[in-house]
Amino acid sequence: AQKITQTQPGMFVQEKEAVTLDCTYDTSDPSYGLFWYKQPSSGEMIFLIYQGSYDQQNATEGRYSLNFQKARKSANLVISASQLGDSAMYFCAMREGRVERDDKIIFGKGTRLHILP
Amino acid sequence: DTGVSQDPRHKITKRGQNVTFRCDPISEHNRLYWYRQTLGQGPEFLTYFQNEAQLEKSRLLSDRFSAERPKGSFSTLEIQRTEQGDSAMYLCASSPDRWTETQYFGPGTRLLVL
């Protein structure tokens, strides 16, 4: 079973509109972290936002916010006032906190976001 | 503060050749990770180091792959007897400690095996 599911392979959004990128996750570990990364065509992975499983409030970073619904195991990324430079691949990812030695990030398959002028 | 750097950025090789990639983490980051990303997929974990100790290896890391971090600073990833299926982007990331929130990624090395 997939640990991270991103159901939207691609999205087209008009510039200046808000956009929500969906992500659901699967874990039995009570301690975990959720990430969103942006990957432009240049290839580097750019960290956007992080949410810890015990965080009471939704994470926000500038125009990015993470809509964390723990009971639904959902961690959607919301980008407000989209810009042309937001066009990129977006990955949802999770790190589980099982044991000290198990320190890897598991990525979803990504959503390609196209911002239209 | 410089970010994670990787060298080379691109590599084209013939099947059967050996290749070696280098990763320089952010200064004083004691954790270093290698991931592989194929076209249309998210990155997949290969291995990670805490200082010079290699703590975990994915089953994706066949015996043709070897990674080292001899002095706990830079790391190398070697692929022996390359196969066409090894063609991918190889990403390196670093983080300062286990409880940090973020792994910072380098620009990647894009490998093409002909």
Side-chain angles (χ1 to χ4, degrees):
Chain A
Q2 288 188 22
K3 291 270 190 177
I4 298 289
T5 302
Q6 294 181 254
T7 57
Q8 306 152 310
M11 288 186 69
F12 290 83
V13 174
Q14 206 67 40
E15 188 181 8
K16 298 181 184 178
E17 290 184 351
V19 56
T20 298
L21 304 181
D22 295 341
C23 173
T24 57
Y25 59 92
D26 181 28
T27 182
S28 57
D29 196 321
S31 176
Y32 53 90
L34 297 160
F35 304 78
W36 278 92
Y37 285 87
K38 172 184 178 181
Q39 188 176 43
S41 55
S42 59
E44 63 182 297
M45 299 288 286
I46 301 170
F47 166 72
L48 295 178
I49 197 166
Y50 167 83
Q51 179 86 42
S53 59
Y54 295 118
D55 294 343
Q56 296 296 315
Q57 293 187 330
N58 287 347
T60 59
E61 289 286 347
R63 293 187 300 112
Y64 305 108
S65 60
L66 198 152
N67 184 1
F68 181 44
Q69 298 187 39
K70 195 170 184 177
R72 296 178 60 186
K73 294 189 174 178
S74 167
N76 297 342
L77 177 70
V78 180
I79 306 174
S80 63
S82 58
Q83 302 170 357
L84 295 178
D86 294 334
S87 294
M89 196 76 167
Y90 288 80
F91 290 98
C92 179
M94 176 175 66
R95 186 183 71 207
E96 295 172 303
R98 285 174 294 181
V99 294
E100 179 64 23
R101 293 173 68 88
D102 186 14
D103 187 17
K104 58 181 174 288
I105 290 182
I106 303 165
F107 287 83
K109 293 190 175 183
T111 296
R112 184 165 296 281
L113 177 63
H114 303 269
I115 305 299
L116 304 173
Chain B
D1 182 28
T2 58
V4 178
S5 61
Q6 292 187 245
D7 184 69
R9 295 290 307 276
H10 300 89
K11 179 71 177 178
I12 300 174
T13 191
K14 293 182 178 179
R15 188 175 53 187
Q17 297 294 305
N18 298 343
V19 294
T20 300
F21 310 141
R22 176 180 171 124
C23 171
D24 286 88
I26 293 172
S27 179
E28 298 183 355
H29 278 193
N30 56 20
R31 293 207 167 212
L32 186 149
Y33 312 80
W34 285 99
Y35 292 82
R36 182 175 70 184
Q37 184 179 22
T38 53
L39 206 58
Q41 302 293 319
E44 296 174 292
F45 170 81
L46 291 178
T47 188
Y48 92 93
F49 294 83
Q50 180 166 3
N51 300 312
E52 65 275 9
Q54 189 173 16
L55 296 188
E56 188 177 355
K57 292 177 15 176
S58 162
R59 62 180 183 278
L60 292 175
L61 215 64
S62 75
D63 55 7
R64 296 185 298 105
F65 288 71
S66 63
E68 294 183 343
R69 195 182 182 197
K71 297 183 180 179
S73 57
F74 73 91
S75 175
T76 57
L77 177 69
E78 182 183 15
I79 309 174
Q80 296 182 327
R81 305 180 303 282
T82 52
E83 301 173 356
Q84 288 184 326
D86 297 332
S87 295
M89 173 81 91
Y90 290 83
L91 293 162
C92 177
S94 72
S95 70
D97 57 50
R98 169 66 177 92
W99 302 109
T100 190
E101 300 161 352
T102 307
Q103 294 180 12
Y104 296 91
F105 282 80
T109 294
R110 195 176 295 275
L111 173 67
L112 178 61
V113 182
L114 301 176

